[in-house]
Amino acid sequence: MLDWDVFTKVVDEAGPSLVRIDFFNYGEAFLHKRAVEMCEYIKTRFPQIYLYTSTNGLALTEEKARRLVHSGIDEVTFSIDGASQETYARYRQRGKFDLAVATLRAMADEKARSGRDVPHLNWRYILFAWNDSDAEMDRARALAAEIGVDRLCWEITDHPEDSFSRRFAPGTPDYERIRFEIWDNSGLGNAIPGATPRAEIDVHTVLPDLPFMTRTSTPVSLTAHITNLSSRPFRAQSDQGDGRRVIRLGAQLTDANGVVINRDHARAWLPVDVGPGRSADVRIDVTAPEKPGRYGLKFDLVSEGIDWFESCGSPTITRGLWVS
């Protein structure tokens, strides 16, 4: 129940130097009657701040949920641990599954209706012994896709002792099956079918397996052919000007054994949005290292500010770079 004047004073003083605000911690932020207004204040005063919140969705009316979409907030996570009232209420006691889903649906609908890129809407689902069946998880997948959620991920816990999902304990075969759909394992993994970003990348050389050859500190212009293997488009730009989640091609510098020396060696913008199943050629300018030797260039796509595609299982490609 933070006092409004204290809140604005803190934001005004700290805002110029902040990159991100997590508008939550323990407890439910939207129990505060002016919480949506607070989000609006932050983004109006300091639009460069990445504003993120997490909610159970129960304290927001539909009107406030839709208003929150227009506040400028960048990301909202809904904690909904089940795909039915029975499984949901075992942990979220006295919670109303239909109400939480209706709030999430209202935000997704308002975002789509107004054509906004943000907020990025996550559904985080803690796995317990009573909600970890294939049937229950598949219901969540289908519902998330139907609503238009950006990301559905599973949360793995090891407590309470008599309740956590032993089926998906780390190291089990079932854990490996959903590894790229787990919240803490990647910023991009997604349990919605086809939504995890995957790409095929090809960088042509004169002959197969022939390395690129150049001199020290010399710029080299290369062309990569990328194909979108997922069901979501790769965004080249953001309508709201948000640099995060824009997709770029990256060339990571490695040694001759494939060990990464510089993960941020070079980047290139996609020339256009690349839809599902579509391809595009991307030109990337790479500068050779100052020291002669045999190196490699490892090509991957990156969702800026979030993660590399490799982190969620997308294949990469490496080409030799011999520097004299």
Side-chain angles (χ1 to χ4, degrees), residues 4 30 32-41 43-44 51 60-73 76 103 106-111 113-114 116 118-119:
W4 175 263
F30 293 94
H32 196 298
K33 296 184 184 302
R34 301 185 72 176
V36 175
E37 191 177 350
M38 288 173 165
C39 293
E40 293 170 337
Y41 185 86
K43 293 300 287 189
T44 298
L51 181 59
L60 281 163
T61 63
E62 179 176 337
E63 178 186 0
K64 286 186 175 181
R66 292 181 181 274
R67 178 178 167 184
L68 184 61
V69 171
H70 296 278
S71 69
I73 193 168
V76 180
T103 306
M107 290 199 70
D109 176 73
E110 188 64 22
K111 177 183 170 183
R113 187 192 63 80
S114 57
R116 297 183 63 86
V118 294

Side-chain angles (χ1 to χ4, degrees), residues 252-256 258 294-298 318-322:
Q252 304 171 13
L253 184 68
T254 76
D255 65 16
R294 295 190 176 186
Y295 300 89
L297 291 172
K298 180 180 178 181
T318 301
R319 292 285 185 257
L321 178 67
W322 294 3

Side-chain angles (χ1 to χ4, degrees), residues 219-288:
V220 181
S221 183
L222 309 174
T223 299
H225 185 75
I226 65 166
T227 301
N228 183 349
L229 303 179
S230 56
S231 63
R232 303 277 179 89
F234 297 161
R235 298 299 304 274
Q237 297 293 334
S238 170
D239 293 341
Q240 274 72 49
D242 173 21
R244 290 169 61 99
R245 304 190 189 280
V246 171
I247 307 299
R248 288 210 279 172
L249 175 69
Q252 304 171 13
L253 184 68
T254 76
D255 65 16
N257 297 315
V259 177
V260 175
I261 299 171
N262 183 0
R263 193 172 297 276
D264 300 312
H265 189 64
R267 293 278 213 283
W269 298 101
L270 301 187
V272 293
D273 290 352
V274 182
R278 304 299 296 272
S279 300
D281 287 331
V282 185
R283 175 178 167 173
I284 184 166
D285 295 322
V286 179
T287 300

Side-chain angles (χ1 to χ4, degrees), residues 67 78 110 123 145 160 173 196 202 210 222-223 257 278 290 324:
R67 178 178 167 184
F78 280 74
E110 188 64 22
W123 174 352
T196 296
D202 190 17
L210 186 70
L222 309 174
T223 299
N257 297 315
R278 304 299 296 272
E290 297 178 357
S324 60

Side-chain angles (χ1 to χ4, degrees), residues 42 144 147 198 244:
I42 292 168
I147 290 172
R198 290 179 59 82
R244 290 169 61 99

Side-chain angles (χ1 to χ4, degrees), residues 57-58 80 83-85 88 95-105 143:
L58 301 175
I80 304 176
S84 64
Q85 176 63 26
Y88 170 79
K96 297 180 179 178
F97 174 76
D98 287 347
L99 177 57
V101 169
T103 306
L104 175 55
R105 185 186 296 275
L143 184 57

Side-chain angles (χ1 to χ4, degrees), residues 25-194:
N25 195 7
Y26 295 97
E28 172 55 48
F30 293 94
L31 287 172
H32 196 298
K33 296 184 184 302
R34 301 185 72 176
V36 175
E37 191 177 350
M38 288 173 165
C39 293
E40 293 170 337
Y41 185 86
I42 292 168
K43 293 300 287 189
T44 298
R45 291 280 289 116
F46 303 104
Q48 81 282 0
I49 292 176
Y50 191 89
L51 181 59
Y52 172 57
T53 195
S54 182
T55 178
N56 60 31
L58 301 175
L60 281 163
T61 63
E62 179 176 337
E63 178 186 0
K64 286 186 175 181
R66 292 181 181 274
R67 178 178 167 184
L68 184 61
V69 171
H70 296 278
S71 69
I73 193 168
D74 297 278
E75 187 172 358
V76 180
T77 292
F78 280 74
S79 296
I80 304 176
D81 312 303
S84 64
Q85 176 63 26
E86 180 182 3
T87 56
Y88 170 79
R90 286 284 298 273
Y91 180 65
R92 304 282 170 180
Q93 295 187 16
R94 296 181 299 279
K96 297 180 179 178
F97 174 76
D98 287 347
L99 177 57
V101 169
T103 306
L104 175 55
R105 185 186 296 275
M107 290 199 70
D109 176 73
E110 188 64 22
K111 177 183 170 183
R113 187 192 63 80
S114 57
R116 297 183 63 86
D117 284 345
V118 294
H120 190 83
L121 296 176
N122 304 306
W123 174 352
R124 183 164 54 191
Y125 181 127
I126 304 175
L127 290 171
F128 295 106
W130 56 77
N131 69 1
D132 68 349
S133 69
D134 286 342
E136 190 78 3
M137 293 167 72
D138 284 345
R139 279 196 292 270
R141 288 185 174 98
L143 184 57
E146 184 261 317
I147 290 172
V149 174
D150 292 299
R151 186 182 185 212
L152 167 67
C153 277
W154 319 114
E155 179 83 7
I156 304 296
T157 182
D158 60 1
H159 59 279
E161 176 61 29
D162 62 345
S163 302
F164 72 87
S165 174
R166 285 172 170 76
R167 178 188 180 194
F168 291 106
T172 62
D174 281 330
Y175 176 92
E176 287 303 311
R177 182 165 58 84
I178 66 165
R179 181 160 56 97
F180 296 124
E181 303 173 5
I182 294 172
W183 180 266
D184 290 328
N185 285 2
S186 166
L188 294 174
N190 202 323
I192 300 172

